[in-house]
């Protein structure tokens, strides 16, 4: 009997046998080298390569305990969700996601295209590299994967079947707690507050009742608005880039939710890159992050309306003015969720290296105050945030007040 017929957490030394047994990809006599390269909070990622043959692939396995904390356990079904959504997204956004070769329900592992010729976007941005294709690619990805999975385009019973298959309660619960609850009350005592900003965080986040009301609205929208099939964790650690290519991966938080959640995450993570560039005095890079954040919103709007008008199938969705109404509500939600991501990565349990690696304490404290002030403006005034420049004005305004 195969030793891979019952789930266990694989180590580097298991992977060569696993791959040879499960997939006809390498030459039979290939000498495979395996390296664990996982960098996220949840899973184990192995790069398998045959140096002689010049071929490689990735094995990604879900562990029962999370890497970020052994106390947190999440269903390994997330690996199925990830494989299935990547297959759907490949159909709608070809070339913008990795190819899935195979998914194994027993070992909760999938094998996929190796993207080692790309860089993880967060780390590339921390070196202050810029990517001219990014805004165009990420907006194509978002419009195609989101709009095509809504009731605007899909037959409604088929859409409901997808909603059911992407029910992802445990991963959504992580977001509901880490993003949409704890940053405002530290109810589970997991927040990590930079000591220099403790009084600021208490006043601006823990004691701002009007902010809490807005977060409650966004939280219940996140839980109840099954609008589009989302990536669910679309930060710059979920994106590989090179100058002429963008690939979105790691969609294990995928579920049917409000479209603005993904778009908000993209904008917020460009603002973390700005934080890092500003602390390093990299003005040109900062200008690029601002221009790119604006393009992400403005191109998203343009492409969304065009795709909507071409592909809407629902009779009532074709009513004059509805496309614009629907898109505006997504941009409003984008502002709200960008604010949530900015705040939770600044004071919550899962932070971002763009900010935490700023060595100078005063500069890091400043970056964190910029994030919080910008976020509060985006959240509280989200109904008035309509275009890319409105998002970046919130950042510039926060930078002058922090
Ligand atoms: C417990 S998991 C912490 C964070 O890592 C993931 O990438 C998600 O962003 C999650 O909130
Ligand atoms: Mg991830």
């Amino acid at each position: 009997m195969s030793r891979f017929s019952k789930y266990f957490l694989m180590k580097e030394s298991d992977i060569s046998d696993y791959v040879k047994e499960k997939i006809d990809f390498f030459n039979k006599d290939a000498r495979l080298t395996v390296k664990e390269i996982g960098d996220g909070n949840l899973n184990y990622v192995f790069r398998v390569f045959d140096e002689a043959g010049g071929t490689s692939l990735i094995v990604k396995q879900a562990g029962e305990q999370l890497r970020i904390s052994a106390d947190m356990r999440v269903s390994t079904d997330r690996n199925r969700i990830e494989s299935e959504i990547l297959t759907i997204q490949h159909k709608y956004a070809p070339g913008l996601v990795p190819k899935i070769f195979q998914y194994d329900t027993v070992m909760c592992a999938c094998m996929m295209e190796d993207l080692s010729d790309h860089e993880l976007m967060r780390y590339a941005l921390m070196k202050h590299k810029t990517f001219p294709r990014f805004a165009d690619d990420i907006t194509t990805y978002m419009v195609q994967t989101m709009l095509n999975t809504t009731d605007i385009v899909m037959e409604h019973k088929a859409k409901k079947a997808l909603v059911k298959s992407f029910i992802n309660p445990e991963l959504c619960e992580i977001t509901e707690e880490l993003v949409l609850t704890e940053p405002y009350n530290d109810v589970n005592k997991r927040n990590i507050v930079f000591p220099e900003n403790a009084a600021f965080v208490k006043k601006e986040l823990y004691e701002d009742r009007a902010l809490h009301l807005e977060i409650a609205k966004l939280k219940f929208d996140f839980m109840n608005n099954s609008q589009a099939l989302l990536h669910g964790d679309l930060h710059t650690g979920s994106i590989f880039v090179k100058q002429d290519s963008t690939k979105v991966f790691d969609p294990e938080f995928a579920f049917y939710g409000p479209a603005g959640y993904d778009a908000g995450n993209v904008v917020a993570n460009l603002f973390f890159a700005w934080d890092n560039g500003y602390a390093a005095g990299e003005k040109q890079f900062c200008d690029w992050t601002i221009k790119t954040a604006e393009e992400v919103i403005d191109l998203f709007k343009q492409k969304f309306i065009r795709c909507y008008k071409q592909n809407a199938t629902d009779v009532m969705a074709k009513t004059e003015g509805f496309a614009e109404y629907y898109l505006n509500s997504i941009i409003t939600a984008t502002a709200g969720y960008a604010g949530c991501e900015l705040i939770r990565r600044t004071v919550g349990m899962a932070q971002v290296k763009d900010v935490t690696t700023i060595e100078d304490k005063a500069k890091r404290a400043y970056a964190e105050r910029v994030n919080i002030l910008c976020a509060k403006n985006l959240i509280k005034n989200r109904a008035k945030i309509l275009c890319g420049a409105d998002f970046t004005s919130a950042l510039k305004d926060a930078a002058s007040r922090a």
Side-chain angles (χ1 to χ4, degrees):
M1 194 171 89
S2 160
R3 68 189 184 99
F4 303 108
S5 56
K6 188 163 180 281
Y7 176 85
F8 68 95
L9 189 61
M10 293 188 282
K11 295 197 268 320
E12 274 183 0
S13 52
D14 300 306
I15 296 293
S16 181
D17 288 349
Y18 178 73
V19 166
K20 284 187 173 167
E21 178 178 316
K22 296 288 175 187
I23 191 169
D24 183 17
F25 185 87
F26 297 104
N27 288 333
K28 288 257 171 312
D29 48 359
R31 286 171 59 86
L32 300 182
T33 309
V34 180
K35 203 166 171 345
E36 209 281 309
I37 56 166
D39 180 53
N41 295 321
L42 280 75
N43 303 298
Y44 296 83
V45 181
F46 302 91
R47 179 165 188 257
V48 189
F49 53 104
D50 165 15
E51 231 146 336
T55 47
S56 59
L57 59 68
I58 295 292
V59 177
K60 180 171 176 182
Q61 188 183 28
E64 286 170 325
Q65 294 177 329
L66 302 193
R67 290 182 91 149
I68 190 173
S69 159
D71 297 339
M72 294 175 78
R73 301 177 80 84
V74 179
S75 161
T76 46
D77 183 51
R78 64 187 189 269
N79 204 268
R80 171 195 66 83
I81 289 191
E82 171 164 357
S83 304
E84 288 182 2
I85 191 183
L86 281 174
T87 307
I88 293 172
Q89 292 184 335
H90 192 260
K91 183 172 95 186
Y92 292 128
L96 294 172
V97 296
K99 286 190 202 92
I100 292 286
F101 299 138
Q102 210 174 90
Y103 167 61
D104 172 357
T105 47
V106 174
M107 295 302 288
C108 302
C110 61
M111 289 185 248
M112 64 176 103
E113 183 183 6
D114 179 20
L115 297 171
S116 303
D117 57 334
H118 291 60
E119 274 181 282
L120 198 65
M121 187 169 182
R122 188 177 309 288
Y123 293 149
L125 295 180
M126 286 170 62
K127 291 181 208 147
H128 309 126
K129 294 187 185 176
T130 60
F131 295 90
R133 289 208 52 78
F134 178 69
D136 195 22
D137 283 346
I138 201 72
T139 50
T140 299
Y141 165 86
M142 288 195 291
V143 169
Q144 291 298 323
T145 60
M146 293 201 283
L147 187 54
N148 283 308
T149 57
T150 63
D151 281 303
I152 302 294
V153 175
M154 283 191 80
E155 192 281 318
H156 303 329
K157 291 190 292 307
K159 183 248 180 180
K160 286 180 179 69
L162 269 194
V163 174
K164 189 170 160 193
S165 130
F166 285 98
I167 288 284
N168 197 352
E170 295 180 11
L171 282 278
C172 283
E173 184 181 44
I174 291 179
T175 305
E176 288 152 23
E177 291 183 348
L178 293 193
V179 183
L180 298 161
T181 301
E182 295 177 17
Y184 306 95
N185 44 42
D186 201 14
V187 68
N188 289 324
K189 299 282 170 257
R190 297 190 289 200
N191 283 356
I192 306 170
V193 176
F194 195 50
E196 275 74 357
N197 281 338
F200 182 85
V201 167
K202 181 168 177 285
K203 172 172 174 284
E204 298 292 342
L205 298 181
Y206 297 167
E207 293 177 354
D208 186 341
R209 303 277 167 227
L211 177 67
H212 297 180
L213 174 59
E214 298 313 313
I215 300 301
K217 293 177 192 170
L218 288 161
K219 179 175 179 177
F220 279 77
D221 193 48
F222 178 88
M223 292 192 292
N224 293 294
N225 180 4
S226 303
Q227 184 174 35
L229 183 54
L230 305 187
H231 178 285
D233 197 24
L234 193 48
H235 57 81
T236 47
S238 297
I239 304 172
F240 278 122
V241 278
K242 55 180 185 163
Q243 288 301 307
D244 58 351
S245 169
T246 307
K247 303 266 186 189
V248 177
F249 72 111
D250 209 15
E252 63 200 325
F253 281 75
F255 76 114
Y256 256 88
Y261 190 74
D262 275 0
N265 271 265
V266 172
V267 172
N269 279 269
L270 285 167
F271 288 0
F272 297 136
W274 181 93
D275 290 339
N276 190 287
Y278 188 84
E282 293 279 351
K283 182 168 182 324
Q284 271 190 341
F285 174 77
C286 288
D287 291 347
W288 177 82
T289 62
I290 288 193
K291 177 172 125 321
T292 303
E294 289 179 3
E295 284 173 0
V296 165
I297 297 298
D298 297 336
L299 284 174
F300 177 83
K301 290 181 68 177
Q302 277 172 31
K303 292 180 188 180
F304 192 94
I305 283 290
R306 195 167 53 223
C307 184
Y308 188 112
K309 303 244 152 126
Q310 283 166 358
N311 296 317
T313 59
D314 182 277
V315 176
M316 294 309 289
K318 293 181 191 174
T319 305
E320 197 180 330
F322 187 73
E324 291 74 15
Y325 159 83
Y326 189 85
L327 173 59
N328 268 356
S329 71
I330 291 176
I331 300 301
T332 297
T334 299
Y337 292 119
C340 294
E341 173 75 355
L342 281 165
I343 289 173
R344 75 91 166 214
R345 296 289 191 188
T346 303
V347 301
M349 166 188 186
Q351 308 206 338
V352 286
K353 289 190 176 139
D354 319 46
V355 177
T356 58
T357 59
I358 299 174
E359 276 178 19
D360 182 297
K361 283 189 175 173
K363 288 183 178 174
R364 174 168 169 191
Y366 171 78
E368 295 196 356
R369 290 195 301 274
V370 171
N371 293 344
I372 290 171
L373 292 176
C374 173
K376 289 183 62 166
N377 187 353
L378 290 173
I379 292 166
K380 288 184 167 178
N381 297 310
R382 63 190 183 283
K384 289 184 245 156
I385 307 281
L386 303 173
C387 65
D390 293 339
F391 282 78
T392 57
S393 291
L395 177 67
K396 289 174 195 163
D397 179 62
S400 66
R401 289 192 293 129

